[in-house]
Amino acid sequence: MGPQHLALHDAGALGLLQGMEGGRSENERNRWEGGPTGDRQADAINDACGSSGQPHPPPSEDAAVASPTPGQPFWLGGGPGDQDSRQVSWPGLRPVRLHTLPFFSRYRRFPPLNGTHSYSPTFVLLGVPGLQSVHAWLSVPFCTGYLVALLGNSAILLVVKTEASLHQPMFYFLALLSAIDLGLSTSTLPKMLALFWLGRGEISFGACLAQMFFIHTFTGMESVVLTCMAFDRYVAICHPLRYAAILTKSRVAWLCSVVVLRTFILVFPIAMLTQRLPFCSPQINIEHTYCEHMGIAKLACADIRVNMIYGLFTIAFLMLDVVLILLSYVQILQSVFRLPSKEARLKSLGTCGSHVAVIFVFYTPAFFSFLTHRFGRNIPHYAHILIANLYVILPPVLNPIIYGKLLMLAVRKDLP
């Protein structure tokens, strides 16, 4: 706090507060309502608010502004229509934006998140902390993985579209999973490779926010798709005769819309909560290879408890997906072990093997990333970042490999 603010605080701000509470003494009233002392205090207040030499900005609806006319009341709070506003007479002072003074910030319904200027910053991605010298080597597996993800998932989409025999619910979900994997890998890896190869880590706040939104959207969609695929396997094994009647094309389309809508409804508030955060520097370094929610929120100069609570709320939906998948497979295993022959049991379990492998590929790095982020304080920071990178690269790379064999078997079965 500078000397001008100290002058304001020491000169009589406490007396003004007492006057608002109805207990202001006569001496304090005289000090604020007239005389040379009051003039000096008014000058001190105006100097403290306008020391930059710039004219005062016009008052907004939520700003508490002293009246320019002596004796005319001004409002503390949101204005005359605000039930929390308070009418106070302060004669002899020029217009002052009281909400800019720390002393009065607590009288506003929505207080400033910090006492400094806030910026729309430019972020600088630093990559894997401690391993910047080997970024070029790290780029080799990530580039290879990206190429495999692009080719493999594109091939799955093409095969499912062209082969009429694959126009079934199971393969519709597989095609949706491949489209999501393409989006997830493309949201992260091009910028990551530009950082590793060219050192271009700069990213605007809007671009960082967009990347964060798409990463969380695609990962959330993948979790819902895996849940739908577990339901598909449950119906196919536990109710095989009713499979076509339960999973009609209209119901599959409805499930696909749920995949998109549920994830959008959950992730959109994350983007809004992050967008409102103030930052105290025009350029901020992020020790990561991409933008993610809590990584950005922790750099803000404000209270981020709302972001943390909502983040845990969204993770609860991921846990719900895991519970539904487990319940589906409990029912599947009960039905499989009731089958009379060993060959029938192995055949039924074989149809679930690819899905189980994909589930482990997706959820294992996701939960390792979550656990190390929350509890792994003794784990090196570069390990956190590498695990987070596996979380976004492993599923797009391994899903086409895991389901490739299943697709080839399905196509060969229909060949003459």
Side-chain angles (χ1 to χ4, degrees), residues 301-336:
C301 48
D303 188 352
I304 61 169
R305 281 177 294 181
V306 175
N307 295 68
M308 296 177 66
I309 292 171
Y310 190 80
L312 293 174
F313 173 73
T314 57
I315 289 173
F317 279 85
L318 260 146
M319 299 300 298
L320 175 63
D321 293 338
V322 174
V323 170
L324 292 175
I325 291 171
L326 289 176
L327 290 176
S328 297
Y329 273 95
V330 167
Q331 297 293 323
I332 288 171
L333 291 175
Q334 288 178 349
S335 298
V336 166

Side-chain angles (χ1 to χ4, degrees), residues 233-408:
R233 292 299 83 204
Y234 163 74
V235 176
I237 294 175
C238 299
H239 305 282
L241 300 179
R242 299 175 56 199
Y243 182 81
I246 294 175
L247 287 175
T248 61
K249 286 188 176 181
S250 60
R251 285 179 180 165
V252 171
W254 180 81
L255 287 173
C256 291
S257 64
V258 169
V259 170
V260 177
L261 288 176
R262 195 199 84 165
T263 309
F264 179 82
I265 291 171
L266 285 175
V267 176
F268 186 74
I270 292 179
M272 293 297 99
L273 288 172
T274 307
Q275 192 272 338
R276 74 175 180 86
L277 292 175
F279 297 89
C280 301
S281 174
Q283 181 170 306
I284 297 176
N285 295 332
I286 301 180
E287 292 186 333
H288 213 307
T289 55
Y290 58 84
C291 298
E292 54 94 17
H293 175 218
M294 288 310 300
I296 300 173
K298 287 182 177 180
L299 299 173
C301 48
D303 188 352
I304 61 169
R305 281 177 294 181
V306 175
N307 295 68
M308 296 177 66
I309 292 171
Y310 190 80
L312 293 174
F313 173 73
T314 57
I315 289 173
F317 279 85
L318 260 146
M319 299 300 298
L320 175 63
D321 293 338
V322 174
V323 170
L324 292 175
I325 291 171
L326 289 176
L327 290 176
S328 297
Y329 273 95
V330 167
Q331 297 293 323
I332 288 171
L333 291 175
Q334 288 178 349
S335 298
V336 166
F337 288 117
R338 291 195 194 105
L339 294 174
S341 66
K342 181 179 179 181
E343 182 181 352
R345 289 196 292 269
L346 292 177
K347 184 178 179 180
S348 298
L349 290 176
T351 62
C352 300
S354 299
H355 182 243
V356 172
V358 169
I359 289 172
F360 277 102
V361 166
F362 176 74
Y363 284 109
T364 302
F367 282 111
F368 266 108
S369 179
F370 171 73
L371 292 174
T372 56
H373 190 72
R374 291 293 188 277
F375 308 110
R377 302 189 183 278
N378 296 325
I379 298 177
H381 191 47
Y382 68 83
H384 289 253
I385 305 304
L386 291 175
I387 292 174
N389 288 334
L390 293 178
Y391 171 51
V392 298
I393 188 60
L394 275 185
V397 170
L398 295 182
N399 289 351
I401 297 174
I402 293 171
Y403 274 105
K405 182 180 178 181
L406 182 64
L407 279 174
M408 287 189 293

